[in-house]
Amino acid sequence: MQHSLRKAIQRNKKSAETFYNLGIAQRKLKQNAMAVSAYKEAIRLNPSMAEAYQNLGNTYVEMGNLQMAIV
């Protein structure tokens, strides 16, 4: 799945939804640092994407970084 999402990103680098979905996949694979980057890119592309903010915060909590989770 992650490979398919990377291909989709190569086709359209401005899709917040694709970066968001990549973050979900990476988080499930315990690739939290990569998931953080994907969520941040989704937020950069679509600042009103509430679910990306929520998952970013939850990922920071899982990483034990409570300070970043509340920012």
Side-chain angles (χ1 to χ4, degrees):
M1 180 166 131
Q2 191 174 5
H3 181 70
S4 300
L5 290 168
R6 289 200 181 278
K7 281 186 174 181
I9 288 169
Q10 287 176 351
R11 286 191 299 265
N12 182 3
K13 295 181 187 215
K14 296 190 183 214
S15 172
E17 292 78 17
T18 303
F19 279 100
Y20 172 73
N21 288 327
L22 179 61
I24 291 171
Q26 290 168 328
R27 189 170 164 208
K28 286 184 180 182
L29 294 171
K30 305 294 184 201
Q31 297 173 340
N32 288 338
M34 294 173 71
V36 164
S37 294
Y39 291 136
K40 285 183 175 181
E41 184 61 14
I43 291 166
R44 185 186 74 77
L45 293 168
N46 182 358
S48 65
M49 182 180 264
E51 53 278 341
Y53 286 101
Q54 180 178 358
N55 279 307
L56 176 61
N58 290 338
T59 304
Y60 277 129
V61 168
E62 289 170 7
M63 296 170 75
N65 192 340
L66 300 181
Q67 184 65 32
M68 289 302 294
I70 60 172
V71 171

